Amino acid sequence: MSVSQSKKGDFAAVRQAIKALLHQPEYDDGSAGPVLVRLAWHSSGTYDINTDTGGSNGAGMRYEYEGGDPANAGLQHARVFLEPVKEAHPWITYSDLWTLAGAVAIEEAGGPSISWQGGRTDFVDDTKILKNKIAGRLPDATQGAGHLRKVFYRMGFNDQEIVALSGAHTLGRCHGDRSGFEGPWVNNPTRFSNQYFKLLSTLEWKPKTLPSGVKQFMYYDEDTETELMMLPTDMALLADPGFEPWVRRYGEDKDLFFRDFAKVFSKLMELGIERDAEGRITNTDNELGGYLS
Ligand code: ZEM
């Protein structure tokens, strides 16, 4: 059994441990941050407001049905990065660890500070995942604005929030062996900024078909000799009259984007969670929860 380096509920210690693993010179662009943000988002983005199922309680990706959802391809890299943190701080649940890691990664990349609360519980088996069919709920990048609304309205977000959340694509890149798409959205994909919106709204994006047949959009940046990319869903934000004004506003006003993104990312991390006045989660899934009480 590993020895805990922190007391139950000492999230500051866990934050430090997450910060310490972000720098990964051999991995992608040198940071584990982007894939950790994606893990946090996919762990929460399964929420369905109509059935009150899915969301960030449970850490269901540890089980094959949700973990094997093609949308989650590649997220094992994020879980592997975090495993030593779980070993050193075994009291924290995976669901708290994954969401906290996303928040810390955004902050450490120069993003806004994200308000985050703990207390999530982990499923002890896959019963709820199978019963509620927690797979196939995440957005499909080959689709358009109608699909984005369907998926994000189901989580309880509005048009402005959909656009703000999409600004996370300033971080990281697409991997041919994960999603089939290839490349980064911006030149400095380990730095959180409003660059995604600036580039999306000001550059001339050209359709490109990869050798695999996957269709995306490209811009060749001569200054940095880098090919940048946009997904079909990213382009859909620009083409839709409800989304487009927000793309432009966030491209012009970094502070506004940071404020709105911080709010909506916190909301995303709380999907599916109910808390009492003291912040204790009241819809815990099993007896392992409640370590904050
Ligand atoms: Zn993403 N995302 N995403 N996203 N995403 C990818 C990568 C990353 C969509 C999508 O299909 C894809 C949000 C919304 C949406 C991040 C964060 C957030 C990739 C590439 C795809 C295909 C995966 C790969 O190949 O590794 C779609 C359709 C979305 C609907 C709007 C939201 C919301 C996010 C957070 C708030 C991040 C950080 C990455 C980069 C991951 C990495 O490994 O570098």
Side-chain angles (χ1 to χ4, degrees):
M1 229 182 85
S2 56
V3 178
S4 181
Q5 292 177 0
S6 59
K7 285 215 179 76
K8 233 186 211 186
D10 183 1
F11 293 116
V14 180
R15 273 180 187 271
Q16 285 311 318
I18 295 166
K19 280 186 200 177
L21 67 77
L22 290 174
H23 182 59
Q24 294 285 343
E26 303 295 313
Y27 177 78
D28 270 8
D29 303 289
S31 172
V35 79
L36 296 179
V37 173
R38 189 162 198 245
L39 177 68
W41 135 239
H42 280 206
S43 73
S44 311
T46 55
Y47 187 60
D48 183 339
I49 201 167
N50 304 305
T51 56
D52 193 22
T53 60
S56 68
N57 260 327
M61 263 184 262
R62 291 167 301 133
Y63 298 97
E64 179 53 29
Y65 187 81
E66 187 178 340
D69 184 336
N72 289 328
L75 289 179
Q76 71 276 10
H77 293 274
R79 297 197 292 276
V80 168
F81 281 133
L82 291 175
E83 200 48 38
V85 182
K86 172 71 176 169
E87 273 164 32
H89 308 275
W91 56 266
I92 195 168
T93 54
Y94 281 104
S95 44
D96 270 352
L97 179 58
W98 295 353
T99 51
L100 180 58
V104 171
I106 289 163
E107 291 170 2
E108 290 298 297
S113 85
I114 306 286
S115 126
W116 178 90
Q117 282 183 278
R120 290 168 193 74
T121 51
D122 291 343
F123 296 143
V124 290
D125 59 39
D126 59 3
T127 315
K128 276 199 175 178
I129 305 167
L130 297 173
K131 187 174 79 137
N132 298 320
K133 301 198 169 54
I134 312 290
R137 293 182 174 203
L138 292 158
D140 170 359
T142 67
Q143 307 280 318
H147 169 78
L148 289 180
R149 288 205 171 84
K150 192 168 154 231
V151 170
F152 283 91
Y153 287 4
R154 189 211 65 219
M155 295 176 217
F157 293 116
N158 64 28
D159 287 0
Q160 171 263 319
E161 291 172 315
I162 294 171
V163 178
L165 278 171
S166 299
H169 283 169
T170 201
L171 291 177
R173 58 170 57 243
C174 297
H175 306 77
D177 60 344
R178 301 184 192 174
S179 62
F181 297 95
E182 279 284 3
W185 288 267
V186 305
N187 272 304
N188 192 349
T190 61
R191 190 88 200 137
F192 196 88
S193 71
N194 64 338
Q195 198 64 12
Y196 163 85
F197 295 113
K198 276 195 189 155
L199 301 184
L200 179 58
S201 57
T202 59
L203 299 182
E204 205 187 309
W205 294 93
K206 297 238 158 63
K208 172 177 179 171
T209 305
L210 303 179
S212 60
V214 168
K215 290 184 164 59
Q216 60 184 50
F217 291 80
M218 67 89 81
Y219 175 82
Y220 184 74
D221 186 350
E222 312 224 331
D223 295 340
T224 58
E225 298 183 353
T226 308
E227 189 176 315
L228 305 175
M229 68 87 65
M230 288 287 161
L231 298 166
T233 40
D234 297 313
M235 298 306 292
L237 298 178
L238 199 58
D240 181 272
F243 293 141
E244 187 257 7
W246 290 107
V247 173
R248 297 202 187 274
R249 284 189 72 180
Y250 292 141
E252 284 157 11
D253 190 340
K254 183 190 138 188
D255 293 342
L256 177 70
F257 168 55
F258 272 38
R259 271 201 307 278
D260 285 358
F261 183 84
K263 253 187 258 164
V264 75
F265 192 80
S266 292
K267 179 173 165 181
L268 176 67
M269 297 300 101
E270 289 286 308
L271 292 183
I273 285 173
E274 289 153 29
R275 296 182 187 273
D276 66 16
E278 277 81 53
R280 278 188 294 261
I281 293 182
T282 51
N283 60 337
T284 58
D285 275 293
N286 57 65
E287 72 285 0
L288 301 178
Y291 53 62
L292 298 184
S293 50

